[in-house]
Amino acid sequence: MLRAGLIGFPASGKTALFQLLTSAREAPRSGGKQEAHVGVARVPDERLDRLTALFNPKKHVPATVEFADMGGATGAKTGAAALLDVAAFRNADALLHVVRMFRDPSVPHAAGSVDPARDVRTMEDELILADLGVVERRLERLERDLKKAGNSAELKKEQDILQRCRAALEEGRPLRALDLGGDDAKRLRGFQFLSAKPLLLVLNLDEAELPRADRAVELAGLQDFIKGAATRAVPICAKIELEIAQLDEADATAFMADLGLRESGLDRVIRASYDLLGYISFFTVGEDENRAWSIPRDTTAQNAAGEIHTDIQRGFIRAEVVRYDHLLARGTLAACREHGELRLEGKDYIVLDGDVINFRHAT
Ligand SMILES: Nc1nc2c(ncn2[C@@H]2O[C@H](COP(=O)(O)OP(=O)(O)OP(=O)(O)O)[C@@H](O)[C@H]2O)c(=O)[nH]1
Ligand SMILES: [Mg+2]
């Protein structure tokens, strides 16, 4: 499951977005303790809906994304370093920075003016500063340990990579911009650096700017920033979307059409998150349950099985795979088998987006 942490300056719309994504009724209180509220959003997927119409299973289980929102400010006043103390943020796969673009005089901005490019840069600097603190503390320790342990090759390697991180951070570059090989990346994973996490800028637009949502990045002056590695942006108007969420389906569709919105904010934010992280979906189907699962691109069949259960991963024998569009066109798995569209794949098969899989495993 994908896990994302919502960060941003006070009154940028984090909680509004959190409520929108997770349909949470109770909002985390502003200015409260530094404690994360965690909510789960169901990933909308038309393909799963179609499969369910086909199989009519007892259960229909969409993939889910977990979002964390903080009661109280994240960033600015307290500094992003505080995020490192909160597991839901430390362990997040991605950070969603909610950037204020709406201009509502009744909701003053802590910095006195609405300036998205400034906020994005300030937050980036905070993430960098928080990571720099971690790197420096670890490097100090390493130096002492190296003196004691003599020439430990492993410690030396760690020192080397951390020194490269320090150099980048001191230049104001985030760790996600560092092009690290597999081994180095593995060495750093344990530190859970904030600036190494993929970053999605959620541009919280003013209602008046909704018709120009396609140009939100330019409006915010963020063209250069989003050229950075593992960095994306998605426009949204949290307030309007919350209003739409209160309407029944027919009214919501009409209202969205009026505003020129083709898909809901929830769809857009989740799709952008998947895109950013390179996540794909595969499906399992049957009489009991149809279900969507999320995995990183390039996951092997055996590891994909582990997403369902470690027993299935361990006892993996083979995967029976059919493409979603084949199954939808034929209507049944038996018909796909007859036409040679049901393939048997081994543990090293790379699962593709939209694969419908039945895992054979020893128990
Ligand atoms: N006009 C307008 N107001 C918004 C929008 N999004 C949020 N707000 C309002 O701005 C205020 C702050 O929104 P929150 O979602 O609580 O902001 P937050 O980032 O969680 O704030 P803290 O938790 O205090 O850091 C609320 O009164 C919202 O109703 C928007 O898109 N347009
Ligand atoms: Mg809040």
Side-chain angles (χ1 to χ4, degrees):
M1 180 168 57
L2 190 162
R3 284 184 292 188
L6 296 171
I7 62 172
F9 291 93
S12 55
K14 298 180 295 296
T15 298
L17 183 69
F18 177 79
Q19 289 176 305
L20 184 69
L21 293 170
T22 63
S23 318
R25 296 219 187 80
E26 209 184 312
R29 250 181 310 147
S30 290
K33 269 196 301 188
Q34 290 285 309
E35 202 175 85
H37 286 238
V38 174
V40 168
R42 299 150 64 96
V43 177
D45 192 330
E46 206 177 65
R47 295 171 300 179
L48 182 67
D49 298 341
R50 295 233 174 99
L51 288 173
T52 290
L54 208 59
F55 284 83
N56 199 23
K58 292 190 196 105
K59 260 169 82 188
H60 166 93
V61 188
T64 50
V65 178
E66 196 179 274
F67 292 98
D69 180 28
M70 202 90 108
T74 42
K77 274 185 273 179
T78 47
L83 294 174
L84 285 167
D85 297 333
V86 183
F89 287 89
R90 214 171 42 231
N91 301 331
D93 300 305
L95 295 178
L96 268 51
H97 180 184
V98 182
V99 180
R100 173 157 174 181
M101 289 183 70
F102 70 85
R103 312 168 179 281
D104 185 339
S106 70
V107 184
H109 190 298
S113 62
V114 175
D115 182 345
R118 172 203 60 204
D119 289 353
V120 166
R121 188 63 238 175
T122 308
M123 181 60 79
E124 185 81 318
D125 290 340
E126 281 197 25
L127 300 178
I128 286 170
L129 209 62
D131 287 349
L132 194 56
V134 175
V135 168
E136 278 174 345
R137 278 193 299 279
R138 180 62 193 152
L139 277 172
E140 271 169 35
R141 266 206 83 121
L142 269 175
E143 210 154 291
R144 269 181 279 144
D145 290 353
L146 271 165
K147 266 186 205 142
K148 264 187 269 163
N151 270 336
S152 154
E154 188 50 39
L155 291 184
K156 268 260 184 276
K157 269 190 203 148
E158 191 185 336
Q159 188 182 40
D160 179 59
I161 171 73
L162 284 176
Q163 277 166 350
R164 277 168 58 203
C165 289
R166 179 169 62 188
L169 294 168
E170 280 173 348
E171 285 168 17
R173 287 194 296 136
L175 296 179
R176 70 182 95 81
L178 239 56
D179 196 15
L180 294 172
D183 257 9
D184 288 340
K186 224 178 269 169
R187 259 185 207 98
L188 289 186
R189 204 166 297 150
F191 292 103
Q192 294 162 308
F193 290 121
L194 295 171
S195 78
K197 294 184 194 298
L199 181 69
L200 179 65
L201 304 176
V202 182
L203 305 177
N204 193 10
L205 292 178
D206 199 81
E207 288 115 279
E209 275 164 3
L210 251 184
R212 297 190 289 163
D214 289 347
R215 291 178 38 231
V217 168
E218 288 81 28
L219 289 173
L222 290 166
Q223 299 96 312
D224 284 336
F225 188 87
I226 64 155
K227 285 185 192 140
T231 310
R232 297 276 162 90
V234 62
I236 193 169
C237 180
K239 196 179 173 198
I240 293 276
E241 300 273 355
L242 270 178
E243 281 170 23
I244 294 174
Q246 316 287 325
L247 302 174
D248 66 41
E249 209 175 306
D251 287 348
T253 310
F255 191 35
M256 279 172 64
D258 268 0
L259 294 167
L261 290 172
R262 280 178 303 273
E263 58 181 341
S264 76
L266 167 68
D267 287 17
R268 248 177 309 139
V269 170
I270 288 183
R271 214 156 39 76
S273 307
Y274 268 54
D275 213 36
L276 173 71
L277 290 166
Y279 270 42
I280 59 167
S281 303
F282 73 89
F283 306 99
T284 51
V285 296
E287 276 171 29
D288 286 333
E289 177 185 286
N290 275 11
R291 186 160 180 164
W293 307 86
S294 317
I295 49 171
R297 200 174 286 286
D298 296 329
T299 298
T300 63
Q302 187 167 24
N303 287 338
E307 186 64 27
I308 300 174
H309 203 288
T310 45
D311 287 349
I312 304 180
Q313 181 173 20
R314 227 178 290 128
F316 181 94
I317 297 172
R318 61 173 185 265
E320 297 172 353
V321 184
V322 61
R323 275 175 42 186
Y324 159 79
D325 42 349
H326 286 160
L327 179 53
L328 203 73
R330 302 281 179 206
T332 64
L333 286 166
C336 290
R337 185 180 284 121
E338 248 169 62
H339 289 84
E341 288 164 353
L342 194 75
R343 292 169 284 125
L344 292 182
E345 301 284 2
K347 62 179 169 51
D348 295 326
Y349 168 72
I350 300 295
V351 175
L352 300 177
D353 189 40
D355 277 349
V356 178
I357 308 184
N358 179 34
F359 291 102
R360 296 268 171 215
H361 62 102
T363 45

